[in-house]
Amino acid sequence: MTDDRDAPLLGLALSAGIVTGVGELGKIAGDLWFSDFTMRSRDAIWMVPAVDGVAFVAVGLVLVLLRRRARVPWWVAAGLFAGIGTLLVLLLVQRLHPLAAIAVAAGLGTQAGRWVRPRVPASVRAVRRGLPWLVGAVLLGAGASVGWRAVAERRLAASRPRPAPGAPSVLLLILDTVRAAELSLYGYGRPTTPELERWAERGTVFERAFSAASWTLPSHASIFTGQPEFALDATNWDRLGPDWPMLAEVLHGRGYGTAAFVANADYVGWDSGLTRGFEHYDDYPVSLRTAVSATSLGRVIYPALHRILPKRLQRWDYLPHPVQYRSAARIADAFLSRLDDRPGTPFFAFLNFMDAHGPYTPPDSFLHRYQSPMPRPVSPYVFIENPPVRLTPTDLRPKQDKYDGSIAYLDAELGRLFRELERRGMLENTLVVLTADHGDEFAEHGFMGHGNTLYRLSVHVPLVLWFPGRIPAGRRVASPVSLQNLAATVLDLAAPGPGRLPGRSLARFWRSPDEAEPDTIVATVRPPDGKLSSIAFGERRYIRDEVTGTEELYDFEHDVLERWSLVASDSGRRVLPAYREALRRIGATEATLAQRNSLHGVPVR
Ligand SMILES: [Zn+2]
């Protein structure tokens, strides 16, 4: 298709694409300076210039075809590429209006074309000379990125001491965004979790387990460190800092092979601060989707395709969806294939599943498994505070139906994973911990999603522990417990020794059930413009908005949907001071960790 005459133009296109990619990386690096999350793979360092290079070559090919009919001068092409490149970089600047970006790009492209026009031979030579270096730099970036990780992984594995003889493995399964209320394991009306019900009989089910926060990063951070949310520096803008020892570090120090397989790569990925102690951290797969979605182009095209493509095509792995997470099947398979490589070593594996988090993309049979009858006429609506919209049952119920279907899919995949582990004989000496990082809300309190409130639906999560011969089977613990104590529990059950993590082992509920005290449940959250604290003990659950001073008090035992606040009641007024004082004593109301200002807009969680 091309001849020698075309080669310089395609070379120009490839060079311009790679330079644009480097420009995008510069912007991303700048973001990293102010906010710790890139929402991109570590491989973006080579993927972005590579994708931009290919995209520009595609534009170059169009110009080559055009050239057969009407000559496109070199300097016009140079100006065009400069304009497109500038536009792509500027589109990454959130606060810049796209029209402004287009205007600046058009101006800069025109100037670039004018500048090149009297310098055509020199610029052709410059492209010819520079191109091999640019391509070499991308390849070097790819080699360095992949190679450096492989070396770091190998070095960390080599530093692992010999484990205690017979040390059990630990499998931590975190079902992102799965609230206990939606599982048939916890009495939900729809049979969403038949597999979990069956497998949970082998262990102990905690009926009232609570996460320390209502969104992903601080909740995971609390699980891994044993610290309450308010003591940690993980926020919407900040990764978890290096100050707290982590469960994976302690287990690695006791001879465990450590590996994580996370579907929520944006907030549990390499830049979350949760990776310490893990030899292997599998977040973003190396795929076309990962590569394209790391670029400015992908971030423009993906949402557009999402609007025009049929849903069925969007679920296909290589056609883009703006937010598509690795499925439970793929997370489980990544874990299983890693196991194949490492027989004999006790492992600590952490799997994070995103199937029950929007946009809900399980196979059709699960997606449409539940369909609520719609009331007619459709009313009343619910006013949602965040975002401020009015929703009717016709908006809400299909969402919840899909949520339930997604949980059912996740349940089926967990069943498949457990059967495979059993077939391999790996469940005999493994402590399995199954839980969720937080729940989700469907406007029960005027909010959609999670991370905005501390209502029970957002923080009451499933918790199942099983370990043959070490944890009683078929038991249900009704006492409230906090996930903040999971790290201490895992160490107590699987790898006891000096160097503990904060928290109280939940094993007390079967070792000395009569004396076992319930946990005081503290959950806090710092949404972009607020701060909420909550505490539950005795018969009440108390929630406090630290900014407005608004208080709510609920009957912990009977009002599980938290519909009737007792703040204004006589009984409420009598006990309120005790709850206020308890929160103050714990320090949750005085935590004033530096929170970066909200220049960055509200990210998806
Ligand atoms: Zn989450």
Side-chain angles (χ1 to χ4, degrees):
M1 186 200 275
T2 61
D3 58 31
D4 284 338
R5 225 169 20 137
D6 302 326
L9 188 55
L10 293 184
L12 175 67
L14 184 55
S15 305
I18 294 174
V19 170
T20 300
V22 172
E24 284 193 44
L25 289 177
K27 167 69 177 76
I28 295 164
D31 289 349
L32 205 55
W33 184 263
F34 292 107
S35 165
D36 289 337
F37 304 107
T38 59
M39 314 274 168
R40 287 170 176 86
S41 160
R42 285 166 284 193
D43 291 309
I45 196 161
W46 61 272
M47 284 176 164
V48 172
V51 170
D52 282 347
V54 171
F56 275 59
V57 166
V59 176
L61 280 171
V62 173
L63 294 184
V64 166
L65 289 176
L66 281 179
R67 199 144 73 158
R68 312 227 151 163
R69 295 180 173 273
R71 208 173 125 62
V72 179
W74 167 272
W75 62 271
V76 171
L80 182 68
F81 289 136
I84 298 174
T86 305
L87 178 64
L88 289 178
V89 176
L90 290 180
L91 285 177
L92 291 175
V93 183
Q94 270 180 16
R95 297 173 80 79
L96 190 66
H97 194 281
L99 286 178
I102 290 171
V104 173
L108 213 133
T110 310
Q111 289 305 318
R114 278 197 195 136
W115 188 83
V116 170
R117 192 170 189 179
R119 298 174 177 82
V120 171
S123 58
V124 169
R125 273 200 307 279
V127 167
R128 281 224 162 100
R129 267 192 224 128
L131 185 59
W133 291 96
L134 287 172
V135 173
V138 173
L139 293 176
L140 194 70
S145 169
V146 176
W148 185 81
R149 285 209 303 276
V151 169
E153 197 170 298
R154 198 161 300 168
R155 282 179 61 177
L156 196 55
S159 73
R160 184 201 305 151
R162 194 179 282 274
S169 289
V170 178
L171 177 59
L172 171 63
L173 307 167
I174 297 188
L175 320 183
D176 215 293
T177 325
V178 171
R179 64 189 201 183
E182 221 77 356
L183 307 190
S184 47
L185 176 67
Y186 286 87
Y188 186 50
R190 289 173 166 170
T192 48
T193 52
E195 291 283 354
L196 287 186
E197 281 166 65
R198 215 171 10 257
W199 291 93
E201 280 170 17
R202 301 183 176 205
T204 293
V205 176
F206 289 83
E207 290 182 339
R208 295 192 181 101
F210 286 79
S211 58
S214 56
W215 74 280
T216 308
L217 177 59
S219 177
H220 278 80
S222 172
I223 290 169
F224 284 138
T225 60
Q227 298 284 349
E229 184 272 350
F230 62 83
L232 298 168
D233 58 359
T235 69
N236 284 284
W237 329 119
D238 298 291
R239 74 178 63 155
L240 179 69
D243 297 342
W244 299 270
M246 309 271 283
L247 180 59
E249 287 179 305
V250 177
L251 288 172
H252 182 263
R254 290 184 193 167
Y256 279 72
T258 49
F261 307 85
V262 305
N264 191 347
D266 287 347
Y267 280 104
V268 189
W270 66 276
D271 48 358
S272 63
L274 298 173
T275 60
R276 272 185 290 129
F278 285 105
E279 292 166 5
H280 178 72
Y281 210 89
D282 179 355
D283 48 9
Y284 294 89
V286 176
S287 70
L288 188 61
R289 177 199 299 282
T290 303
V292 176
S293 62
T295 65
S296 172
L297 200 61
R299 282 168 192 235
V300 173
I301 287 178
Y302 274 25
L305 284 176
H306 174 54
R307 275 194 289 276
I308 56 174
L309 281 179
K311 284 270 185 293
R312 184 181 302 276
L313 277 181
Q314 289 179 24
R315 280 205 299 281
W316 186 48
D317 251 11
Y318 295 98
L319 268 182
H321 186 292
V323 233
Q324 165 101 54
Y325 303 103
R326 263 196 297 175
S327 66
R330 293 183 61 199
I331 292 290
D333 287 346
F335 162 58
L336 289 170
S337 63
R338 174 88 183 174
L339 277 184
D340 291 338
D341 300 342
R342 282 159 186 70
T345 313
F347 64 78
F348 169 49
F350 154 51
L351 278 59
N352 160 287
F353 298 96
M354 275 297 262
D355 306 272
H357 189 292
Y360 312 128
T361 52
D364 281 347
S365 58
F366 288 97
L367 191 64
H368 306 304
R369 173 165 292 193
Y370 304 109
Q371 291 186 15
S372 297
M374 285 300 149
R376 298 274 185 271
V378 175
S379 69
Y381 64 79
V382 191
F383 183 75
I384 305 295
E385 292 181 40
N386 183 23
V389 285
R390 288 173 177 187
L391 295 178
T392 66
T394 39
D395 302 313
L396 285 167
R397 292 200 183 171
K399 278 191 207 302
Q400 206 168 346
D401 291 344
K402 285 183 190 169
Y403 181 58
D404 291 352
S406 301
I407 292 174
Y409 163 72
L410 183 49
D411 177 74
E413 283 301 325
L414 289 170
R416 188 179 71 91
L417 171 63
F418 293 144
R419 276 192 296 280
E420 178 57 23
L421 289 173
E422 180 158 65
R423 194 186 64 77
R424 298 182 186 201
M426 302 207 65
L427 290 179
E428 286 153 28
N429 193 27
T430 296
L431 164 64
V432 178
V433 179
L434 182 142
T435 188
D437 58 343
H438 52 79
D440 218 5
E441 289 180 54
F442 292 90
E444 293 88 349
H445 295 272
F447 289 86
M448 289 295 288
H450 48 270
N452 306 304
T453 83
L454 289 174
Y455 293 114
R456 190 157 172 162
L457 291 167
S458 269
V459 288
H460 181 193
V461 291
L463 177 61
V464 180
L465 299 183
W466 98 67
F467 189 179
R470 309 280 280 278
I471 294 179
R475 184 177 294 218
R476 291 184 85 99
V477 172
S479 289
V481 298
S482 169
L483 298 190
Q484 204 186 311
N485 289 320
L486 273 188
T489 307
V490 167
L491 291 182
D492 174 33
L493 288 167
R500 295 162 43 153
L501 289 171
R504 244 187 339 169
S505 172
L506 302 180
R508 66 185 187 277
F509 290 103
W510 52 86
R511 286 187 187 141
S512 48
D514 295 335
E515 293 104 72
E517 283 176 25
D519 285 342
T520 297
I521 306 297
V522 176
T524 50
V525 69
R526 286 164 279 176
D529 297 312
K531 186 159 163 253
L532 302 165
S533 312
S534 71
I535 191 164
F537 56 88
E539 287 163 9
R540 302 283 182 262
R541 186 156 181 273
Y542 172 71
I543 304 174
R544 181 184 163 85
D545 184 324
E546 302 291 347
V547 176
T548 64
T550 312
E551 298 173 296
E552 291 163 78
L553 187 73
Y554 297 104
D555 186 321
F556 191 61
E557 182 67 28
H558 301 105
D559 187 10
V560 291
L561 288 176
E562 300 179 328
R563 282 192 180 143
W564 298 284
S565 176
L566 304 172
V567 163
S569 71
D570 287 346
S571 69
R573 275 200 292 270
R574 270 198 302 279
V575 299
L576 266 178
Y579 285 84
R580 287 186 193 127
E581 174 58 17
L583 255 190
R584 199 195 57 76
R585 223 173 34 239
I586 284 168
T589 64
E590 287 164 9
T592 51
L593 282 166
Q595 195 173 350
R596 298 208 180 146
N597 62 31
S598 47
L599 276 175
H600 310 280
V602 185
V604 177
R605 287 179 292 196

